[in-house]
Amino acid sequence: MNYTKLMSLSFLALILAACGEKEVETPVSAPAQEEAKEEKVVEEEVTEEVVVEEEETEAVTTEPLYTLNEANWSFKPIANAPSKVVLLTIDDAPDKRSLEMAKTLKALNAPAIFFVNGHFLDTDEEKAVLKEIHNMGFAIGNHTQTHTDLKQLTEEQQRAEIMQVSETVEAVIGEKPKYFRAPFGSNTDFSKALVKEQGMLLMNWTYGYDWESQYQDATALTDIMVNSEYLTNGANLLMHDRTWTSSALKGIVEGLRKKGYEMIDPATIQGVPTE
């Protein structure tokens, strides 16, 4: 074999060896390429839709629907919000009946604010009740530590009464109260300024009866709460953690609804801090 032929055969062997080691890609037919393109486009569209949905979810905020009228502590609708509404509030929580009352309201799909006293948050069991009420979706308000008339206290004592509750509530549910109600509706210039500084909405009430002896009965309380002369659009209804109030609660909500009233979601009140 001459030298030239030997070199040709060697060169051919090297080429064949290289081809054997190299991974050969299977050609993609034109229809398959088009299908792959379409799948990629669909994937990109889905990804874009997901991003848009996530952006829209993040942008959702609760718009104020009601503004507080301090003349009688009722609520006026903003723009086209329903006017035939009331706000339900429960003071002295979470004493003995608050969890039961929350479950009643939850079953009725009736929002409310539970105003808490710090002396009802001394034990782990009481704190667990507050957390459960919050987890059920109810708003939590500050009703001071010991339910003392703020006008009888020094400024430092007033600060302690208010701040201690807010700190305890935050430690239990992860957020500070957004509403404040003074015991007996008795505020001072100092307490008003402190509440505003803390970002809470100060409120009293339009009417309530369950502390009066003649209404410490479920039937009598239901009747007066539903048929009171003070029941007006936007009324702020005061109730307490009491046995007779808990028994009357379902009848009160149903009676109000029969009259055409619905319950205000506390989160829709103007001036309430949003997360």
Side-chain angles (χ1 to χ4, degrees):
M1 183 180 295
N2 62 39
Y3 179 78
T4 301
K5 187 174 181 180
L6 180 62
M7 289 297 294
S8 297
L9 290 173
S10 298
F11 182 70
L12 179 60
L14 287 172
I15 292 176
L16 291 173
C19 289
E21 293 172 356
K22 184 177 179 181
E23 182 178 342
V24 179
E25 296 182 357
T26 303
V28 180
S29 66
Q33 289 176 349
E34 290 300 320
E35 184 177 344
K37 281 183 182 180
E38 289 174 0
E39 289 177 355
K40 184 176 181 181
V41 169
V42 169
E43 288 176 358
E44 289 175 351
E45 288 175 353
V46 170
T47 302
E48 289 175 358
E49 288 175 1
V50 171
V51 171
V52 170
E53 287 177 359
E54 290 176 350
E55 290 175 351
E56 289 176 352
T57 301
E58 291 175 357
V60 172
T61 57
T62 303
E63 291 294 330
L65 298 178
Y66 298 94
T67 182
L68 182 62
N69 174 14
E70 294 186 10
N72 65 353
W73 300 101
S74 64
F75 299 90
K76 296 187 293 187
I78 298 172
N80 296 319
S83 60
K84 202 163 186 179
V85 293
V86 296
L87 177 71
L88 302 180
T89 66
I90 313 294
D91 282 13
D92 300 345
D95 190 4
K96 300 290 191 300
R97 299 293 181 183
S98 288
L99 184 56
E100 177 184 325
M101 296 171 83
K103 288 179 179 179
T104 297
L105 292 170
K106 184 71 173 178
L108 294 167
N109 193 28
I113 303 174
F114 283 78
F115 284 96
V116 304
N117 294 122
H119 61 248
F120 292 130
L121 295 173
D122 292 330
T123 68
D124 290 341
E125 291 77 9
E126 290 170 333
K127 292 174 181 177
V129 168
L130 175 63
K131 188 172 181 63
E132 186 170 353
I133 291 172
H134 175 259
N135 288 343
M136 290 167 70
F138 292 101
I140 304 300
N142 183 324
H143 197 39
T144 75
Q145 181 67 23
T146 65
H147 203 275
T148 302
D149 187 339
L150 295 176
K151 290 180 179 177
Q152 307 301 318
L153 304 177
T154 67
E155 291 185 354
E156 282 308 304
Q157 288 172 328
Q158 292 178 57
R159 179 183 294 276
E161 282 285 326
I162 295 169
M163 295 304 297
Q164 190 172 345
V165 174
S166 288
E167 290 166 3
T168 301
V169 168
E170 184 177 21
V172 174
I173 69 173
E175 62 183 55
K176 294 179 181 179
K178 298 177 180 179
Y179 317 83
F180 176 80
R181 175 177 282 158
F184 318 108
S186 181
N187 286 286
T188 67
D189 290 340
F190 178 81
S191 69
K192 290 177 182 177
L194 179 59
V195 166
K196 184 176 181 180
E197 173 192 303
Q198 291 298 309
M200 290 185 283
L201 180 68
L202 183 146
M203 65 170 70
N204 281 345
W205 59 88
T206 306
Y207 70 87
Y209 296 93
D210 65 354
W211 64 88
E212 298 182 23
S213 58
Q214 65 266 42
Y215 300 117
Q216 293 180 8
D217 167 84
T219 301
L221 182 59
T222 300
D223 180 66
I224 192 65
M225 291 298 289
V226 173
N227 298 307
S228 170
E229 61 181 306
Y230 301 109
L231 175 58
T232 57
N233 290 355
N236 190 331
L237 277 53
L238 170 63
M239 293 173 282
H240 294 79
D241 180 317
R242 300 288 185 272
T243 300
W244 49 90
T245 310
S246 180
S247 298
L249 193 54
K250 184 174 185 289
I252 291 171
V253 172
E254 291 177 342
L256 290 167
R257 283 178 169 160
K258 283 180 182 178
K259 283 194 163 187
Y261 289 92
E262 266 305 327
M263 288 72 228
I264 294 174
D265 178 352
T268 64
I269 300 172
Q270 190 173 61
V272 175
T274 55
E275 294 301 323

